Amino acid sequence: MYNIPMQDSGRTTLLIFGATGDLMGKKIVPSLWHLFEKGRLPKEFEVIGLSRRSLSEENFRALVKELMQKYVGEVAPDSAARFLALFSFQRVTFDQSDDFESLAHELDSRDRSRGPGIRLLYMAVPPEAFPQIFGHSAFGEIVTKETRAIIEKPFGIDLSSARELEEVLARRFTEEQLYRADHYLAKPVLRTIPSFRFDDGSLENIWNAEHIGSITIRTWEPLGLENRGAFYDPLGTLRDVGQNHLLEMLALIAMEKPRNSGNVEEVRAKRAEVLGALRIPNEDAIRKHTFRAQYEGYRAIEGVKPDSETETYYRLTAYLDNERWRGVPIIMEAGKRLPRWKTEIRVNFKEPKYSAAFIMRPEEKILFSKSGEEKKFPLADAEDTKQYVAEYARIIMDAAKGDQTLFVSEDEIENAWRFIDPIENAWKKNVIPLAFYSPDTDEAVALAEKKWSDERLPS
Ligand code: BG6
């Protein structure tokens, strides 16, 4: 029920704003290839790359081919040629109205010769560029009723900028046309949580504060910034993954059961409701319940300020003020340049006869055990485990199909920022000093553990 099979969405054109940028190689090309290889793209599918660079169609395909070699590896030449034939290019400079007019014209003439179809706009450009792009009157012609926009995080850097962004988006799109991507929602383990929790009614009796002592949600990455210094430094780990991925993990693990699991709006409202129940921490709670650290050497990275106070690791304890979870500490932790991959949710029961773990890295699995009897739970189609590939394949196809379930609503974003903003503000005031850790070691985690034990907090 939660795992809707792929269907052909009909004639679909994917328009990529920012087609010569970073996301093209990391996310878009490998996931499109994945869909192509598995024969899962719509039968009539084409991609139009858009960028200010002056490229011929041939140049653009050569660029996609290079990205294939770098991010996918060797593939059979005839399949590669068929794949590359899906791509065309149109030069669009964001301040040139003429460019938008020619794009609108091109789309229109394709529609006239091939029949109208779905237009998927992938906004792989910084949100600061949106007002300019959306401002052109010809952009209005590009957005038909069958147009959907995939929007990448970060959705603002705080509540007020998130609201401004929403206002800009609302100038051109209705809520039904907006597909705000959080690739964690598309991860097989996380997609399986609702059926794990709700399909067998018996679990709900123990899924509450009476039986559960704490919940731990973490993502440890051995990776560093990978040329993203200028992007990352103004954000830090709490905004980069904490405001979105970790809180969405919490939303799935803690949400109430939707009456109708097929009702997209209801599912999203249930996720938003949990985030709305997060207790907003005051400065005292932030002093006691949060920890932030930066790895040594971070300040020397290109694009990072030499005196940067940005965290590359954090840990915090949160609480949900609702009937089901009152008093249960939720420990959230994320960091870069940690010694190993570890992405997981652990539900720690008071009675030792139960245990539940939702593990995304190093391998994907859900484990539940009762009285020593371990039960592996089958995952919703786990497939390509390369970073972003399976998730973005899902994101693109769900947007093409018009299924918003795995996309974040405005309410989820706002509730998340309401919780994050006071922490960011207190950190900025140095309510707790930034600590430092040696990269690729356990030091950050050990420092956090020590604070948690000094403060007598469950960890
Ligand atoms: C992205 C962050 O959203 O998620 C990255 O911007 C991070 O900094 C990545 O590395 C983690 O995703 P995953 O799927 O590898 O856990």
Side-chain angles (χ1 to χ4, degrees), residues 2 40 69 86 114 124 133 288 292 316 342 414 447:
Y2 290 90
R40 290 192 346 214
Q69 275 152 1
L86 301 175
R114 296 171 215 174
I133 297 175
K288 193 168 166 196
R292 60 187 181 124
L316 59 84
K342 198 188 239 198
E414 291 211 356
L447 289 168

Side-chain angles (χ1 to χ4, degrees), residues 26-27 152-154 181-184 187 219-221 223-226 228 231-232 235-237 239-241 244-245 249 335-336 341-343 360-361 385-389 391-392:
K26 271 201 198 149
K27 297 178 173 172
E152 278 285 344
K153 59 175 262 290
D182 179 326
H183 77 283
Y184 265 58
K187 283 187 184 283
T219 153
W220 294 3
E221 295 179 75
L223 299 179
L225 295 202
E226 304 186 300
R228 296 197 307 157
F231 166 84
Y232 195 87
L235 298 177
T237 308
R239 286 186 174 113
D240 181 44
V241 299
N244 36 74
H245 307 330
M249 289 197 256
K336 296 234 179 246
W341 288 108
K342 198 188 239 198
T343 305
M360 281 145 273
R361 283 209 164 106
T385 53
K386 259 195 247 127
Q387 192 178 35
Y388 301 128
V389 175
E391 293 98 325
Y392 272 84

Side-chain angles (χ1 to χ4, degrees), residues 34 55 104 109 111-112 144-145 166 190 200 203-204 215 219 227 325 380-381 395 408 416 444 455:
H34 178 75
L55 296 176
S109 77
D111 278 7
R112 265 183 279 123
T144 62
K145 253 176 50 203
E166 286 303 335
L190 296 180
D200 165 10
L203 207 63
E204 279 307 277
I215 297 173
T219 153
N227 307 326
W325 297 112
D381 54 309
I395 283 170
V408 187
E455 299 277 3

